[in-house]
Amino acid sequence: MSQNKPWGGRFSESTDQFVEEFTESVSFDRELAEVDIRQSLAHTETLKRAGVLSDEEAEAIKRGLLSILEDIKAGRFEWKRELEDVHMNIERELINRIGRVGGKLHTARSRNDQVATDFRLYLKEQIKEILELLKALRKALTQKAAESVDIVVSGYTHLQKAQPIRLAHWFLAYREMFVRDTQRFADVYRRLDASPLGSGALAGVDFPLDRFFTAERLGFTRVLRNSLEATADRDFTVEFLNACNITMLHLSRLAEDLIIWASEEFGYVDLPDKLCTGSSIMPNKKNPDVLELIRGKAGRVLGDYVAISTVIKGLPMAYNRDLQEDKEPVFDAVRTLKGSLVGMRKIIEGLKPRKERMEENAGNLTLATDLANYLVQKGVPFREAHHIVGSLVGYVLERGKRMEELTLEELKKFSDLFGEDALELLKPSVVADRRKTYGGTAKESILKQLENAKGEDL
Ligand code: ARG
């Protein structure tokens, strides 16, 4: 008989050491200890209302649970691998502390609805923290945008210089991605905010539990409607990990831009020394390791997302032990995403744009589109104007000149429609400010975008 297991009654041999090691989850799911106890406190109340526990019994259980919680928080709790998971560790300790009555806590509850409830409670807390971190990052980006309205930089497509933009436009572009991430996490939160508790192992329970009462005590806004699904569903982990994944993709793209911009060749930004690292062999190096690791960790979080998706695929209804594999990818992604959000916020706050370097690079050939548009305004079809200015670009390149150095006579060689006012266009900030459309890079448009951003980040 395997008396030391909570489920040992029907067994005649004690568990193989290997199985104990292979199946345990307490080494990682102890992360759920606090929410597990919170859940048990609510379940105790529900059991009391259902007439399963007397007032005294409920009091004894609650006191026991709270003393365990205290020890866990203080790091004094002794976790036992042979008790498999966080749930059974806490239950066994409760019985040790308060005696047989502790054994009543698990009435009308299975670890299947218990773990599903814990995990949803845990993710609700984590999402709230992630939303705060996203907000702090958005604020840092908005702040930098506000400081860089008057800096003009080249915008890129294909990583080739394209058209001048205001640097604020670039900061606000990334901010926009994090706005979407915020909405996505809020949406995941809304959908997972429902209580599985009272679903039992799969079929519901044969005690008169008021599931709505427990849900309310636990702060859930809804109760899951189908007990099979309530214990079998892990969609919320897939959605959550995908939200983490997409946010990491955004962080990774931003990291990549900054890594390039911090290179000597670009020299667009200075990264704060305290956020960079050196080389053990090359005294000259200042490396953007935090950014590189954020970029790298995006791969890792995608892995977490793929892992959980493949664990779920093909599981028969309802709970299967495979679902224990949902924890580590989620814990890993939570830790990785939170760290990356903090790291990126610090980088953005400490970032110093190098205005001269950016502006020196913003002009020249990036001014070409506007010269073509100038001719279009004089009635030349755009295709022809494109061709005329194309030859002009060839001329400038051949002579090793910059567009800004062109004289009116030179312009006229390509089209006599060019007038004095065309020379006005040969300035990056002028070119940027002509793009006044909604969402465009003109100063007046940027100021509106900034105004909105500031309102949203409060
Ligand atoms: N540690 C398990 C998990 O994380 C708890 C549920 C176990 N249920 C069971 N019937 N073995 O999924």
Side-chain angles (χ1 to χ4, degrees):
M1 255 224 319
S2 179
Q3 287 293 17
N4 64 336
K5 300 286 185 215
W7 38 256
R10 64 104 62 214
F11 287 78
S12 55
E13 284 183 327
S14 54
T15 317
D16 190 293
Q17 275 292 323
F18 163 79
V19 173
E20 228 166 66
E21 268 172 50
F22 191 70
T23 61
E24 70 86 24
S25 56
V26 67
S27 56
F28 51 87
D29 68 12
R30 65 178 73 164
E31 182 93 27
L32 300 174
E34 279 195 52
V35 286
D36 194 67
I37 289 181
R38 215 167 13 107
Q39 170 187 166
S40 287
L41 291 169
H43 184 60
T44 303
E45 279 299 311
T46 311
L47 288 175
K48 191 171 88 179
R49 272 170 59 112
V52 176
L53 295 175
S54 69
D55 286 358
E56 297 75 56
E57 288 172 329
E59 272 321 299
I61 290 176
K62 284 198 263 177
R63 264 201 312 278
L65 286 170
L66 290 173
S67 78
I68 292 173
L69 179 60
E70 225 176 86
D71 286 357
I72 292 174
K73 280 187 171 164
R76 283 193 297 262
F77 193 84
E78 204 193 312
W79 298 102
K80 298 202 175 82
R81 194 182 71 192
E82 62 274 19
L83 290 173
E84 213 175 283
D85 58 22
V86 62
H87 321 291
M88 295 205 289
N89 265 269
I90 292 173
E91 187 189 336
R92 172 60 65 88
E93 182 59 19
L94 181 69
I95 296 169
N96 289 346
R97 290 191 188 189
I98 68 170
R100 279 185 69 219
V101 61
K104 294 195 171 191
L105 171 64
H106 208 55
T107 314
R109 184 171 68 174
S110 155
R111 276 183 298 153
N112 299 352
D113 59 347
Q114 183 173 6
V115 74
T117 306
D118 279 359
F119 217 23
R120 285 172 186 259
L121 288 171
Y122 164 82
L123 279 175
K124 283 179 66 176
E125 281 178 7
Q126 293 305 325
I127 291 175
K128 282 188 209 153
E129 285 181 32
I130 289 168
L131 287 172
E132 283 307 308
L133 295 174
L134 273 165
K135 184 170 169 180
L137 175 58
R138 288 199 318 270
K139 277 187 162 176
L141 288 164
T142 307
Q143 177 59 32
K144 280 289 151 174
E147 292 166 14
S148 59
V149 173
D150 290 319
I151 300 179
V152 177
V153 64
S154 176
Y156 293 80
T157 62
H158 314 264
L159 197 53
Q160 308 291 322
K161 280 196 225 166
Q163 292 175 350
I165 58 170
R166 295 203 166 264
L167 180 59
H169 204 191
W170 179 92
F171 281 114
L172 290 172
Y174 278 106
R175 181 189 169 278
E176 210 63 11
M177 295 190 182
F178 297 118
V179 169
R180 262 196 322 275
D181 294 333
T182 301
Q183 294 163 348
R184 199 172 288 111
F185 274 109
D187 199 38
V188 174
Y189 183 100
R190 264 192 301 280
R191 226 176 342 271
L192 70 76
D193 185 13
S195 173
L197 201 59
S199 296
L202 73 165
V205 296
D206 51 347
F207 290 87
L209 295 192
D210 181 349
R211 291 188 57 208
F212 294 86
F213 171 80
T214 333
E216 201 185 313
R217 288 194 80 95
L218 287 172
F220 284 114
T221 54
R222 298 185 330 275
V223 173
L224 289 171
R225 303 189 297 184
N226 178 311
S227 64
L228 286 181
E229 218 265 329
T231 48
D233 168 49
R234 291 295 183 277
D235 285 3
F236 60 97
T237 61
V238 182
E239 283 194 58
F240 173 77
L241 287 173
N242 190 35
C244 293
N245 170 45
I246 296 178
T247 306
M248 287 301 297
L249 297 182
H250 295 154
L251 288 168
S252 180
R253 293 180 71 172
L254 174 52
E256 171 66 0
D257 256 354
L258 289 174
I259 291 167
I260 295 174
W261 283 15
S263 68
E264 192 180 327
E265 289 74 3
F266 267 77
Y268 282 6
V269 291
D270 276 326
L271 300 174
D273 271 8
K274 65 175 178 190
L275 299 177
C276 291
T277 48
S279 155
S280 55
I281 178 165
M282 297 168 283
N284 52 314
K285 294 301 291 287
K286 174 175 161 185
N287 295 329
D289 294 34
V290 172
L291 292 169
E292 292 167 86
L293 280 169
I294 290 174
R295 189 176 58 188
K297 284 172 192 288
R300 172 181 179 135
V301 172
L302 171 62
D304 293 329
Y305 169 66
V306 173
I308 190 64
S309 309
T310 41
V311 165
I312 289 171
K313 174 188 172 300
L315 288 188
M317 194 64 96
Y319 177 86
N320 298 271
R321 188 65 178 272
D322 314 47
L323 290 177
Q324 181 170 292
E325 289 295 311
D326 62 356
K327 314 277 173 329
E328 286 161 294
V330 167
F331 294 151
D332 182 69
V334 163
R335 203 177 323 113
T336 308
L337 176 63
K338 282 163 130 184
S340 305
L341 286 168
V342 169
M344 188 56 88
R345 175 188 50 76
K346 284 173 175 283
I347 296 266
I348 296 295
E349 282 170 354
L351 194 70
K352 292 211 171 57
R354 294 172 63 189
K355 186 171 155 80
E356 300 83 84
R357 185 83 188 132
M358 285 185 173
E359 295 196 337
E360 161 194 322
N361 257 301
N364 198 13
L365 302 182
T366 65
L367 309 173
T369 312
D370 287 62
L371 279 185
N373 288 342
Y374 176 93
L375 294 176
V376 168
Q377 262 155 11
K378 302 260 165 178
V380 182
F382 180 74
R383 266 303 142 233
E384 280 173 39
H386 187 290
H387 190 79
I388 293 169
V389 178
S391 325
L392 194 54
V393 168
Y395 170 87
V396 160
L397 286 174
E398 222 167 76
R399 285 178 178 59
K401 282 194 163 209
R402 289 178 63 96
M403 294 281 267
E404 291 91 328
E405 293 162 6
L406 287 171
T407 61
L408 186 55
E409 293 74 71
E410 285 174 299
L411 286 182
K412 280 200 182 291
K413 279 193 218 155
F414 293 85
S415 165
D416 51 15
L417 292 171
F418 280 124
E420 196 72 44
D421 53 345
L423 295 175
E424 289 294 296
L425 292 179
L426 298 175
K427 244 186 108 193
S429 64
V430 171
V431 162
D433 284 345
R434 287 160 54 86
R435 283 156 176 76
K436 297 189 207 311
T437 36
Y438 181 81
T441 208
K443 185 165 178 172
E444 59 178 76
S445 171
I446 292 295
L447 289 176
K448 274 187 215 138
Q449 294 172 51
L450 249 182
E451 208 50 42
N452 289 339
K454 280 182 186 159
E456 287 171 10
D457 290 346
L458 293 176

